[in-house]
Amino acid sequence: MINNLHDIKTQLENIVNPEVFNLETNENFAASYKEERRIFLIKRLKLQIKIMLIVGVTITSFFIWFNPLLQQKIYAFQLGFGCELCIVFCWFLCGTKLGIRYPSIIFLGLCWLANCVIQIKTALLFGYVEPMTNIWNLMFLTQATIIPVQWRIHLLSQIGTIICYLGLCIIYRHKFNLSINHYVEQGLYLFWTGIICVFSVHLYEKLRKQEFTAKRELEIAQQQSEKLLLNILPSVIAQQLKTQPTTIADIFHDVTVLFADIVGFTELSSHTSPPQLVELLNKIFSLFDELAEKHGIEKIKTIGDAYMAVAGLPNYRRDHAFAIANMALDMQNSVHQFNYDYGLSFSIRVGISTGPVVAGVIGLKKFAYDLWGDTVNTASRMESHGIPNHIQVCDATYQLLKDDYLLEKRGLIAIKGKGEMTTYLLHGVKFGLMK
């Protein structure tokens, strides 16, 4: 008994909250977070490109304006114009499949364009190999603040910059003309700038992942709450209740109500364990739920071993009586099949009535969608005064079904609280109308 309860509890947890408990290792979560981070990276790369274009124009203009030599002005223009073209090309890549799929390549390209390409071009044009630490630090800080994701590519961009510079030193056999203290000071600034940038990106990304996890948990919880609410209430009523949390009541002038009772279930409960009894009832009612879904019928509730459903609300349909009749016939067949599969001898007694009802949600706790009115009472009496393995309908339902279904007049029946009523037994669909 304890094991069964534990299994049921585990199943309920999986149904209600299937992805929340282990999002860090969930493959779907990892893919979703990776996609979210990739989109974020593309958006921020476009922002960085715009900033770099503006910065490039201002710096190039400065060198052209303040350089006295024409040749140096030309070199500055060539260098600035070439860098701007490369930046524009990176902007173009952001809109291509390659760039969207591999935004990290654009990230590294922008960083090394400012740090390495300018360093190389300056060495080629002027033979100047001194480290441009101001530009490097500016690029590292810019990308850490604008694009604070994937700390590994930040670290790779910094290492690549240093390797490029050391390579130039070897190629040009650069001699360090300034004091050793100057290079140590610049190196320390560069080192700690890089460390702080990488560490801040790591912390930001960790926080962003936690935020994404919490957001995903909230979305899943909301989806499951919505799903549970729709299992309790019709979708139209659920939406109305969320926007208007007051008493909901509507009059429907033409619907068909069904009551079904499992005959013999009460006797079975006297010599069957409670878990087995509930399991059997659940299997039968699950079959009925599937039929309600199939025929577009609204299940209202279960009362012990009785099942209540209605057609024609909350959304009106002209064929409400036909839908209920078809479901009632299918319910008989499903019970026969259930008895065959499990070696049981249940029978079902069904009552149907057509007419106006009041439907709504009342109460503050454990609220449910319910029906009231004489039509509901009549349907209940049709069932309770019916015959096992038969479907009893009132005269109003008979008038709607008589041309398309096989019905047998049962005659005047004394109905509790109603007096004598003419009722009919529904046997099936007329042959020519069977699908």
Side-chain angles (χ1 to χ4, degrees), residues 76-202:
F77 175 78
Q78 290 176 346
L79 179 60
F81 184 72
C83 290
E84 294 290 87
L85 284 179
C86 293
I87 294 172
V88 171
F89 179 70
C90 289
W91 195 351
F92 168 76
L93 284 179
C94 287
T96 64
K97 291 183 179 179
L98 178 65
I100 293 173
R101 188 171 183 179
Y102 303 106
S104 299
I105 296 176
I106 303 176
F107 178 97
L108 293 173
L110 287 171
C111 181
W112 291 338
L113 173 65
N115 294 343
C116 302
V117 174
I118 293 178
Q119 187 84 49
I120 294 170
K121 290 285 288 185
T122 304
L124 291 173
L125 292 174
F126 308 109
Y128 183 81
V129 192
E130 288 295 331
M132 298 180 176
T133 53
N134 289 337
I135 296 178
W136 300 352
N137 287 332
L138 179 62
M139 177 54 63
F140 297 156
L141 288 170
T142 299
Q143 290 194 312
T145 52
I146 295 178
I147 315 175
V149 292
Q150 294 184 312
W151 64 269
R152 291 178 180 84
I153 62 172
H154 284 264
L155 182 61
L156 180 60
S157 67
Q158 296 166 15
I159 294 173
T161 299
I162 301 302
I163 291 175
C164 174
Y165 172 72
L166 294 177
L168 286 175
C169 289
I170 295 172
I171 293 172
Y172 282 86
R173 298 179 182 178
H174 175 59
K175 294 180 180 180
F176 299 99
N177 300 318
L178 301 175
S179 66
I180 189 66
N181 290 338
H182 170 78
Y183 291 104
V184 171
E185 181 183 4
Q186 293 298 313
L188 282 174
Y189 285 141
L190 180 65
F191 172 78
W192 283 113
T193 298
I195 291 297
I196 291 171
C197 288
V198 171
F199 186 63
S200 64
V201 170
H202 171 70

Side-chain angles (χ1 to χ4, degrees), residues 320-383:
H320 52 85
F322 297 93
I324 287 290
N326 292 333
M327 179 173 174
L329 294 170
D330 284 347
M331 289 170 77
Q332 283 186 329
N333 294 331
S334 65
V335 171
H336 292 326
Q337 185 63 44
F338 182 84
N339 288 334
Y340 177 80
D341 293 339
Y342 291 93
L344 299 171
S345 58
F346 289 133
S347 60
I348 186 173
R349 189 172 57 230
V350 181
I352 299 175
S353 176
T354 300
V357 298
V358 175
V361 179
I362 60 173
L364 297 175
K365 295 183 178 180
K366 296 183 180 180
F367 52 82
Y369 191 63
D370 209 345
L371 308 180
W372 300 271
D374 186 64
T375 302
V376 178
N377 297 333
T378 301
S380 177
R381 294 291 185 263
M382 290 296 102
E383 177 273 312

Side-chain angles (χ1 to χ4, degrees), residues 2-250:
I2 294 175
N3 290 335
N4 289 335
L5 288 174
H6 181 269
D7 293 340
I8 293 172
K9 181 177 182 292
T10 303
Q11 293 175 7
L12 285 174
E13 288 177 346
N14 291 333
I15 292 172
V16 174
N17 217 356
E19 296 184 65
V20 170
F21 295 102
N22 197 16
L23 286 175
E24 292 293 329
T25 58
N26 186 281
E27 293 182 0
N28 293 331
F29 162 75
S32 299
Y33 176 71
K34 183 178 179 181
E35 177 68 12
E36 191 267 352
R37 185 178 62 180
R38 184 185 61 78
I39 295 172
F40 176 81
L41 183 55
I42 286 290
K43 290 181 178 179
R44 290 303 181 88
L45 281 172
K46 292 179 179 179
L47 176 60
Q48 182 190 351
I49 287 171
K50 294 175 184 178
I51 294 175
M52 288 183 67
L53 287 172
I54 297 172
V55 172
V57 169
T58 56
I59 293 177
T60 302
S61 301
F62 171 81
F63 277 104
I64 293 174
W65 182 264
F66 285 98
N67 260 308
L69 300 177
L70 177 63
Q71 189 65 31
Q72 290 183 345
K73 290 178 184 287
I74 294 174
Y75 285 158
F77 175 78
Q78 290 176 346
L79 179 60
F81 184 72
C83 290
E84 294 290 87
L85 284 179
C86 293
I87 294 172
V88 171
F89 179 70
C90 289
W91 195 351
F92 168 76
L93 284 179
C94 287
T96 64
K97 291 183 179 179
L98 178 65
I100 293 173
R101 188 171 183 179
Y102 303 106
S104 299
I105 296 176
I106 303 176
F107 178 97
L108 293 173
L110 287 171
C111 181
W112 291 338
L113 173 65
N115 294 343
C116 302
V117 174
I118 293 178
Q119 187 84 49
I120 294 170
K121 290 285 288 185
T122 304
L124 291 173
L125 292 174
F126 308 109
Y128 183 81
V129 192
E130 288 295 331
M132 298 180 176
T133 53
N134 289 337
I135 296 178
W136 300 352
N137 287 332
L138 179 62
M139 177 54 63
F140 297 156
L141 288 170
T142 299
Q143 290 194 312
T145 52
I146 295 178
I147 315 175
V149 292
Q150 294 184 312
W151 64 269
R152 291 178 180 84
I153 62 172
H154 284 264
L155 182 61
L156 180 60
S157 67
Q158 296 166 15
I159 294 173
T161 299
I162 301 302
I163 291 175
C164 174
Y165 172 72
L166 294 177
L168 286 175
C169 289
I170 295 172
I171 293 172
Y172 282 86
R173 298 179 182 178
H174 175 59
K175 294 180 180 180
F176 299 99
N177 300 318
L178 301 175
S179 66
I180 189 66
N181 290 338
H182 170 78
Y183 291 104
V184 171
E185 181 183 4
Q186 293 298 313
L188 282 174
Y189 285 141
L190 180 65
F191 172 78
W192 283 113
T193 298
I195 291 297
I196 291 171
C197 288
V198 171
F199 186 63
S200 64
V201 170
H202 171 70
L203 292 178
Y204 179 86
E205 189 167 14
K206 185 177 180 180
L207 181 63
R208 188 174 182 85
K209 192 172 184 179
Q210 292 173 348
E211 180 185 1
F212 181 86
T213 304
K215 182 180 177 182
R216 183 71 181 275
E217 290 178 350
L218 180 60
E219 289 175 353
I220 293 173
Q222 289 175 339
Q223 290 172 3
Q224 295 303 325
S225 297
E226 184 76 13
K227 184 177 179 181
L228 289 172
L229 186 61
L230 292 178
N231 283 337
I232 298 172
L233 302 172
S235 58
V236 175
I237 302 302
Q239 292 298 326
Q240 186 178 351
L241 190 63
K242 287 190 292 185
T243 58
Q244 180 187 347
T246 58
T247 301
I248 297 175
D250 298 293

